[in-house]
Amino acid sequence: MPYRAPISDYEFLLGHVVGFKDVAATEKFAEATPDVVSAILTEAGKMCEEVMAPLQRPGDLHPARLENGVLRTSPGYADGWKAIAEGGWIGMSGDPEYGGMGLPMTVTTAVNEMMSAACLSLQLAPLMSQGQIEALEHHASEELKALYLPKLMSGEWSGTMNLTEPQAGSDVGALTSKAEPNGDGTYSVTGQKIYISWGDNDFCENVCHLVLARLPDGAPGTKGISLFLVPKYIPDENGNPGVANDLKVVSLEHKMGLHGSPTCVMQYDGAKGWLVGQEHKGMAAMFTMMNNARLGVGGQGVGAAEGAYQHALAYALERKQGKTPSGTIIDHADVRRMLMDMRADLFAARAIMLANAAAIDMAKATGNADWAARAALLTPICKAFGTQTGMRVAETGLQVHGGMGYVEETGAAQFYRDVRVTAIYEGTNGIQAMDLVGRKMMDGGEAAARLLDEIEDHAERARATVPELAGPVWEATESLREATEWLVAQEDMNNRFAGAVAYLNAFARVLGAHYHLIAALADPDGPRAKLARYYITARLPEYAGLLDQAQIGAGDLFALSADELAA
Ligand SMILES: Cc1cc2nc3c(=O)[nH]c(=O)nc-3n(C[C@H](O)[C@H](O)[C@H](O)COP(=O)(O)OP(=O)(O)OC[C@H]3O[C@@H](n4cnc5c(N)ncnc54)[C@H](O)[C@@H]3O)c2cc1C
């Protein structure tokens, strides 16, 4: 089934819903006019439709493999990477001084989402490079930036992120990789990293690893970690790949999905590395990359949802079964329910993602701390709800196909398998929810309250035209405010954490309703108002049960002992 890039959806969301006009009105992003943005999205969409989408199935059928220590990527992936690189899609938001396009993150996020919908496995490669580019821009020395950034942005070299070790997954502070100063400004990095996405490839001249490791005088836990740039080939005096560094891919993981993306066990044996940022401040530097990647992974979920929706819709339009006006299953009420759920949630998740990116752009363009706080608040919601929507939509898409969804030929099952990991990597969705109710509420819930004020103000104004939609949005927001106040008042963090996932999902439901309401007002007689009506009537009410759950506290969760759970 061919992929169709949803350009008009982005144009509508950017033009009317997520505040992109404010971004384009800043001096920094003044060149991002609607015409320019539409042209960029159209060009990227064409590449996704024509180059990347045809690689989706071959990557699944012919996973990356390791042959005598040499990594071989899936058929066609080298050409796919070339098209991504030549289109300039890796350095889209990169600093123009180093070869980037300097575009708003909002535009990059839309392009990344399209690439994810077309071929998730391959898209993970440029996503890793983009995160590394941002981390280096913020934290690397001028020498490192001058050498690495142009190569990463052009796609001659690629980037990875290396946090995870067998005993250090969610608890990154438990890592044991070590770094020793060499006395010449470089370091020797030793340790094993697991699950490293795109740890190697056969289409770039060099692969640059950002590796977290501890210096001899590094304190235990996250406070004592430093970040190092460790290239596969050590650049020579001309900046070209020179001798091989002391690192290798030990093996590749066999996975449920995402087969085209090589997930590597990496071994570093005194590999030469360069410090990025300050000693012992590696987590702060890595967080730049992780926040970029969290938005990106939320976008992967949204992209997978779009791909799965398009597949399911095409099938429903063709499959004849039962007596319906059209003769096909699309006229069965339950099939309609599935398609409407998919489409309405997809709109909500995409709007949250783009609003998150727009807040990042506003923070960058204005330096205003409120925008930075808004972006920080939205990031865990975007990551968790985007990926959850990807999983749910892919699962529902499979159901629309009936038995044909369970067999592999239709591709419905691949979306389901591929997207599953997005809820796990880049901080599991549970960890995202804890971040939302923990770190992101350390301001006493102020950033959340500001956002809820805006949503209520908007709903209040919308009452005059669409009271039946605006009323439920206002009421849901008020309930969310009460739950937020309850959460912030909990001194026992376990009480907050117990309800964190439910709270995050309720927050996302309310945000989704807010953006649907804006859409309904912008397109009062069109399909977007009808979709908004469905979302607010059928999807939003979930918030009430979720908020009840968010406030149960930890008591009942621990009522059964571990032994009783096992009995
Ligand atoms: C395909 C794939 C690609 C990946 N790519 C990369 C990569 O490129 N670079 C990289 O560094 N890593 C990568 N990862 C690793 C990924 O980020 C980790 O798997 C993830 O962070 C979870 O760590 P873990 O697997 O050790 O699970 P664990 O941390 O053991 O978690 C197990 C369960 O316990 C929960 N849990 C753990 N701690 C807590 C806590 N404090 N509070 C509440 N719940 C908790 C988790 O939410 C989860 O449900 C990848 C993983 C996969 C599968």
Side-chain angles (χ1 to χ4, degrees), residues 403-435:
M404 285 303 283
Y406 199 69
V407 299
E408 290 286 353
E409 282 83 339
T410 56
Q414 189 187 342
F415 282 111
Y416 184 55
R417 290 185 287 102
D418 284 358
V419 76
R420 186 61 187 85
V421 73
T422 61
I424 296 170
Y425 62 29
E426 230 7 88
T428 63
N429 284 4
I431 297 285
Q432 301 301 321
M434 288 165 63
D435 179 46

mmCIF file of all heavy atoms in Angstrom, residues 403-435:
data_model
loop_
_atom_site.group_PDB
_atom_site.id
_atom_site.type_symbol
_atom_site.label_atom_id
_atom_site.label_comp_id
_atom_site.label_asym_id
_atom_site.label_seq_id
_atom_site.Cartn_x
_atom_site.Cartn_y
_atom_site.Cartn_z
ATOM 1 N N GLY A 403 -8.602 -11.225 9.735
ATOM 2 C CA GLY A 403 -7.534 -12.230 9.626
ATOM 3 C C GLY A 403 -6.364 -11.743 8.787
ATOM 4 O O GLY A 403 -5.209 -12.094 9.049
ATOM 5 N N MET A 404 -6.652 -10.900 7.805
ATOM 6 C CA MET A 404 -5.576 -10.412 6.948
ATOM 7 C C MET A 404 -4.604 -9.506 7.707
ATOM 8 O O MET A 404 -3.497 -9.249 7.236
ATOM 9 C CB MET A 404 -6.151 -9.645 5.744
ATOM 10 C CG MET A 404 -6.760 -10.536 4.685
ATOM 11 S SD MET A 404 -5.589 -11.767 4.062
ATOM 12 C CE MET A 404 -4.609 -10.749 2.972
ATOM 13 N N GLY A 405 -5.049 -9.019 8.866
ATOM 14 C CA GLY A 405 -4.142 -8.213 9.672
ATOM 15 C C GLY A 405 -3.115 -9.062 10.390
ATOM 16 O O GLY A 405 -2.005 -8.607 10.667
ATOM 17 N N TYR A 406 -3.524 -10.304 10.666
ATOM 18 C CA TYR A 406 -2.646 -11.188 11.440
ATOM 19 C C TYR A 406 -1.608 -11.873 10.555
ATOM 20 O O TYR A 406 -0.578 -12.324 11.031
ATOM 21 C CB TYR A 406 -3.501 -12.214 12.186
ATOM 22 C CG TYR A 406 -2.779 -12.862 13.334
ATOM 23 C CD1 TYR A 406 -2.461 -12.137 14.473
ATOM 24 C CD2 TYR A 406 -2.400 -14.197 13.271
ATOM 25 C CE1 TYR A 406 -1.777 -12.724 15.524
ATOM 26 C CE2 TYR A 406 -1.723 -14.796 14.321
ATOM 27 C CZ TYR A 406 -1.409 -14.056 15.441
ATOM 28 O OH TYR A 406 -0.734 -14.634 16.480
ATOM 29 N N VAL A 407 -1.909 -11.968 9.266
ATOM 30 C CA VAL A 407 -0.896 -12.501 8.355
ATOM 31 C C VAL A 407 -0.049 -11.316 7.873
ATOM 32 O O VAL A 407 -0.511 -10.178 7.855
ATOM 33 C CB VAL A 407 -1.514 -13.271 7.163
ATOM 34 C CG1 VAL A 407 -2.306 -14.458 7.635
ATOM 35 C CG2 VAL A 407 -2.376 -12.372 6.294
ATOM 36 N N GLU A 408 1.184 -11.616 7.490
ATOM 37 C CA GLU A 408 2.142 -10.525 7.309
ATOM 38 C C GLU A 408 1.996 -9.737 6.004
ATOM 39 O O GLU A 408 2.429 -8.599 5.925
ATOM 40 C CB GLU A 408 3.570 -11.068 7.406
ATOM 41 C CG GLU A 408 3.953 -11.511 8.819
ATOM 42 C CD GLU A 408 4.211 -10.343 9.779
ATOM 43 O OE1 GLU A 408 4.226 -9.188 9.322
ATOM 44 O OE2 GLU A 408 4.369 -10.596 10.980
ATOM 45 N N GLU A 409 1.388 -10.343 4.972
ATOM 46 C CA GLU A 409 1.443 -9.718 3.646
ATOM 47 C C GLU A 409 0.874 -8.305 3.586
ATOM 48 O O GLU A 409 1.312 -7.484 2.804
ATOM 49 C CB GLU A 409 0.710 -10.577 2.601
ATOM 50 C CG GLU A 409 1.498 -11.779 2.114
ATOM 51 C CD GLU A 409 1.357 -12.964 3.063
ATOM 52 O OE1 GLU A 409 0.997 -12.768 4.247
ATOM 53 O OE2 GLU A 409 1.617 -14.087 2.610
ATOM 54 N N THR A 410 -0.137 -8.024 4.404
ATOM 55 C CA THR A 410 -0.769 -6.699 4.290
ATOM 56 C C THR A 410 0.100 -5.582 4.849
ATOM 57 O O THR A 410 -0.122 -4.415 4.549
ATOM 58 C CB THR A 410 -2.098 -6.658 5.076
ATOM 59 O OG1 THR A 410 -1.825 -7.022 6.432
ATOM 60 C CG2 THR A 410 -3.136 -7.576 4.472
ATOM 61 N N GLY A 411 1.040 -5.913 5.719
ATOM 62 C CA GLY A 411 1.878 -4.882 6.340
ATOM 63 C C GLY A 411 1.279 -4.319 7.615
ATOM 64 O O GLY A 411 1.944 -3.566 8.327
ATOM 65 N N ALA A 412 0.012 -4.670 7.924
ATOM 66 C CA ALA A 412 -0.623 -4.138 9.138
ATOM 67 C C ALA A 412 0.130 -4.621 10.381
ATOM 68 O O ALA A 412 0.342 -3.856 11.334
ATOM 69 C CB ALA A 412 -2.085 -4.570 9.201
ATOM 70 N N ALA A 413 0.540 -5.886 10.359
ATOM 71 C CA ALA A 413 1.229 -6.440 11.528
ATOM 72 C C ALA A 413 2.592 -5.782 11.731
ATOM 73 O O ALA A 413 3.052 -5.601 12.862
ATOM 74 C CB ALA A 413 1.384 -7.955 11.366
ATOM 75 N N GLN A 414 3.234 -5.402 10.633
ATOM 76 C CA GLN A 414 4.557 -4.783 10.763
ATOM 77 C C GLN A 414 4.484 -3.448 11.520
ATOM 78 O O GLN A 414 5.332 -3.151 12.366
ATOM 79 C CB GLN A 414 5.222 -4.570 9.404
ATOM 80 C CG GLN A 414 6.681 -4.120 9.560
ATOM 81 C CD GLN A 414 7.366 -3.728 8.266
ATOM 82 O OE1 GLN A 414 6.905 -4.070 7.174
ATOM 83 N NE2 GLN A 414 8.459 -3.007 8.383
ATOM 84 N N PHE A 415 3.454 -2.651 11.220
ATOM 85 C CA PHE A 415 3.310 -1.390 11.958
ATOM 86 C C PHE A 415 3.217 -1.675 13.460
ATOM 87 O O PHE A 415 3.816 -0.990 14.280
ATOM 88 C CB PHE A 415 2.054 -0.634 11.507
ATOM 89 C CG PHE A 415 2.231 0.082 10.198
ATOM 90 C CD1 PHE A 415 1.561 -0.334 9.062
ATOM 91 C CD2 PHE A 415 3.077 1.175 10.107
ATOM 92 C CE1 PHE A 415 1.732 0.327 7.859
ATOM 93 C CE2 PHE A 415 3.256 1.845 8.907
ATOM 94 C CZ PHE A 415 2.579 1.417 7.781
ATOM 95 N N TYR A 416 2.430 -2.694 13.788
ATOM 96 C CA TYR A 416 2.191 -3.068 15.180
ATOM 97 C C TYR A 416 3.496 -3.516 15.845
ATOM 98 O O TYR A 416 3.839 -3.080 16.947
ATOM 99 C CB TYR A 416 1.150 -4.193 15.176
ATOM 100 C CG TYR A 416 0.664 -4.675 16.510
ATOM 101 C CD1 TYR A 416 0.121 -3.799 17.438
ATOM 102 C CD2 TYR A 416 0.702 -6.040 16.818
ATOM 103 C CE1 TYR A 416 -0.357 -4.268 18.652
ATOM 104 C CE2 TYR A 416 0.224 -6.511 18.016
ATOM 105 C CZ TYR A 416 -0.297 -5.620 18.934
ATOM 106 O OH TYR A 416 -0.774 -6.088 20.124
ATOM 107 N N ARG A 417 4.254 -4.365 15.134
ATOM 108 C CA ARG A 417 5.507 -4.864 15.714
ATOM 109 C C ARG A 417 6.549 -3.754 15.814
ATOM 110 O O ARG A 417 7.259 -3.617 16.799
ATOM 111 C CB ARG A 417 6.047 -6.030 14.876
ATOM 112 C CG ARG A 417 5.230 -7.305 14.981
ATOM 113 C CD ARG A 417 5.856 -8.473 14.225
ATOM 114 N NE ARG A 417 5.735 -8.354 12.772
ATOM 115 C CZ ARG A 417 6.694 -7.968 11.955
ATOM 116 N NH1 ARG A 417 7.884 -7.647 12.425
ATOM 117 N NH2 ARG A 417 6.494 -7.904 10.656
ATOM 118 N N ASP A 418 6.655 -2.959 14.734
ATOM 119 C CA ASP A 418 7.712 -1.937 14.699
ATOM 120 C C ASP A 418 7.516 -0.867 15.764
ATOM 121 O O ASP A 418 8.462 -0.414 16.393
ATOM 122 C CB ASP A 418 7.754 -1.249 13.322
ATOM 123 C CG ASP A 418 8.411 -2.109 12.247
ATOM 124 O OD1 ASP A 418 8.863 -3.221 12.572
ATOM 125 O OD2 ASP A 418 8.465 -1.665 11.082
ATOM 126 N N VAL A 419 6.267 -0.431 15.930
ATOM 127 C CA VAL A 419 6.038 0.730 16.800
ATOM 128 C C VAL A 419 6.137 0.373 18.284
ATOM 129 O O VAL A 419 6.316 1.244 19.126
ATOM 130 C CB VAL A 419 4.669 1.381 16.480
ATOM 131 C CG1 VAL A 419 3.512 0.568 17.061
ATOM 132 C CG2 VAL A 419 4.612 2.818 16.984
ATOM 133 N N ARG A 420 6.062 -0.925 18.586
ATOM 134 C CA ARG A 420 5.974 -1.327 20.004
ATOM 135 C C ARG A 420 7.135 -0.804 20.848
ATOM 136 O O ARG A 420 6.974 -0.417 22.012
ATOM 137 C CB ARG A 420 5.858 -2.860 20.110
ATOM 138 C CG ARG A 420 5.623 -3.367 21.513
ATOM 139 C CD ARG A 420 4.318 -2.824 22.063
ATOM 140 N NE ARG A 420 4.102 -3.150 23.467
ATOM 141 C CZ ARG A 420 4.592 -2.440 24.485
ATOM 142 N NH1 ARG A 420 5.375 -1.388 24.261
ATOM 143 N NH2 ARG A 420 4.322 -2.797 25.725
ATOM 144 N N VAL A 421 8.318 -0.786 20.251
ATOM 145 C CA VAL A 421 9.507 -0.396 21.024
ATOM 146 C C VAL A 421 9.511 1.091 21.382
ATOM 147 O O VAL A 421 10.189 1.517 22.312
ATOM 148 C CB VAL A 421 10.803 -0.776 20.263
ATOM 149 C CG1 VAL A 421 11.034 0.152 19.064
ATOM 150 C CG2 VAL A 421 12.002 -0.721 21.192
ATOM 151 N N THR A 422 8.723 1.882 20.656
ATOM 152 C CA THR A 422 8.778 3.328 20.914
ATOM 153 C C THR A 422 8.277 3.675 22.321
ATOM 154 O O THR A 422 8.626 4.715 22.866
ATOM 155 C CB THR A 422 7.978 4.134 19.861
ATOM 156 O OG1 THR A 422 6.601 3.735 19.905
ATOM 157 C CG2 THR A 422 8.533 3.922 18.465
ATOM 158 N N ALA A 423 7.466 2.788 22.891
ATOM 159 C CA ALA A 423 7.016 3.025 24.266
ATOM 160 C C ALA A 423 8.071 2.599 25.285
ATOM 161 O O ALA A 423 7.944 2.895 26.476
ATOM 162 C CB ALA A 423 5.711 2.268 24.531
ATOM 163 N N ILE A 424 9.104 1.911 24.781
ATOM 164 C CA ILE A 424 10.143 1.378 25.684
ATOM 165 C C ILE A 424 11.412 2.234 25.638
ATOM 166 O O ILE A 424 11.950 2.606 26.680
ATOM 167 C CB ILE A 424 10.474 -0.089 25.299
ATOM 168 C CG1 ILE A 424 9.254 -0.980 25.514
ATOM 169 C CG2 ILE A 424 11.675 -0.591 26.088
ATOM 170 C CD1 ILE A 424 9.382 -2.387 24.948
ATOM 171 N N TYR A 425 11.885 2.535 24.415
ATOM 172 C CA TYR A 425 13.172 3.254 24.388
ATOM 173 C C TYR A 425 12.984 4.751 24.597
ATOM 174 O O TYR A 425 11.887 5.264 24.615
ATOM 175 C CB TYR A 425 14.019 2.892 23.180
ATOM 176 C CG TYR A 425 13.553 3.164 21.757
ATOM 177 C CD1 TYR A 425 12.713 4.199 21.399
ATOM 178 C CD2 TYR A 425 14.039 2.355 20.726
ATOM 179 C CE1 TYR A 425 12.364 4.430 20.081
ATOM 180 C CE2 TYR A 425 13.694 2.583 19.395
ATOM 181 C CZ TYR A 425 12.862 3.622 19.093
ATOM 182 O OH TYR A 425 12.520 3.851 17.791
ATOM 183 N N GLU A 426 14.120 5.384 24.828
ATOM 184 C CA GLU A 426 14.141 6.835 25.112
ATOM 185 C C GLU A 426 13.426 7.167 26.419
ATOM 186 O O GLU A 426 12.751 8.182 26.536
ATOM 187 C CB GLU A 426 13.482 7.586 23.942
ATOM 188 C CG GLU A 426 14.263 8.733 23.382
ATOM 189 C CD GLU A 426 15.648 8.883 23.929
ATOM 190 O OE1 GLU A 426 16.535 8.255 23.348
ATOM 191 O OE2 GLU A 426 15.860 9.599 24.912
ATOM 192 N N GLY A 427 13.567 6.264 27.397
ATOM 193 C CA GLY A 427 12.839 6.404 28.658
ATOM 194 C C GLY A 427 11.474 5.773 28.469
ATOM 195 O O GLY A 427 10.673 6.264 27.661
ATOM 196 N N THR A 428 11.196 4.680 29.195
ATOM 197 C CA THR A 428 9.910 4.003 29.025
ATOM 198 C C THR A 428 8.775 4.999 29.290
ATOM 199 O O THR A 428 8.987 6.036 29.937
ATOM 200 C CB THR A 428 9.759 2.830 30.027
ATOM 201 O OG1 THR A 428 9.777 3.372 31.352
ATOM 202 C CG2 THR A 428 10.875 1.804 29.876
ATOM 203 N N ASN A 429 7.578 4.649 28.827
ATOM 204 C CA ASN A 429 6.467 5.582 29.045
ATOM 205 C C ASN A 429 6.158 5.770 30.528
ATOM 206 O O ASN A 429 5.690 6.836 30.947
ATOM 207 C CB ASN A 429 5.233 5.121 28.263
ATOM 208 C CG ASN A 429 5.385 5.432 26.776
ATOM 209 O OD1 ASN A 429 6.437 5.913 26.341
ATOM 210 N ND2 ASN A 429 4.353 5.164 25.994
ATOM 211 N N GLY A 430 6.440 4.735 31.322
ATOM 212 C CA GLY A 430 6.268 4.878 32.769
ATOM 213 C C GLY A 430 7.228 5.934 33.318
ATOM 214 O O GLY A 430 6.859 6.760 34.173
ATOM 215 N N ILE A 431 8.454 5.917 32.834
ATOM 216 C CA ILE A 431 9.455 6.896 33.288
ATOM 217 C C ILE A 431 9.046 8.303 32.822
ATOM 218 O O ILE A 431 9.237 9.290 33.542
ATOM 219 C CB ILE A 431 10.859 6.514 32.738
ATOM 220 C CG1 ILE A 431 11.307 5.145 33.286
ATOM 221 C CG2 ILE A 431 11.888 7.606 33.026
ATOM 222 C CD1 ILE A 431 11.760 5.107 34.720
ATOM 223 N N GLN A 432 8.460 8.402 31.624
ATOM 224 C CA GLN A 432 7.987 9.722 31.142
ATOM 225 C C GLN A 432 6.919 10.274 32.088
ATOM 226 O O GLN A 432 6.914 11.457 32.424
ATOM 227 C CB GLN A 432 7.363 9.611 29.738
ATOM 228 C CG GLN A 432 8.283 9.070 28.663
ATOM 229 C CD GLN A 432 9.523 9.910 28.478
ATOM 230 O OE1 GLN A 432 9.469 11.135 28.539
ATOM 231 N NE2 GLN A 432 10.645 9.257 28.277
ATOM 232 N N ALA A 433 6.003 9.395 32.507
ATOM 233 C CA ALA A 433 4.913 9.839 33.380
ATOM 234 C C ALA A 433 5.459 10.295 34.733
ATOM 235 O O ALA A 433 4.998 11.291 35.305
ATOM 236 C CB ALA A 433 3.897 8.709 33.558
ATOM 237 N N MET A 434 6.476 9.566 35.218
ATOM 238 C CA MET A 434 7.096 9.975 36.489
ATOM 239 C C MET A 434 7.800 11.320 36.334
ATOM 240 O O MET A 434 7.813 12.146 37.252
ATOM 241 C CB MET A 434 8.084 8.895 36.946
ATOM 242 C CG MET A 434 7.396 7.636 37.433
ATOM 243 S SD MET A 434 8.522 6.240 37.543
ATOM 244 C CE MET A 434 9.667 6.806 38.779
ATOM 245 N N ASP A 435 8.389 11.530 35.166
ATOM 246 C CA ASP A 435 9.043 12.820 34.889
ATOM 247 C C ASP A 435 7.992 13.940 34.934
ATOM 248 O O ASP A 435 8.225 15.004 35.511
ATOM 249 C CB ASP A 435 9.698 12.737 33.495
ATOM 250 C CG ASP A 435 10.381 14.029 33.093
ATOM 251 O OD1 ASP A 435 11.102 14.595 33.926
ATOM 252 O OD2 ASP A 435 10.204 14.467 31.936
#
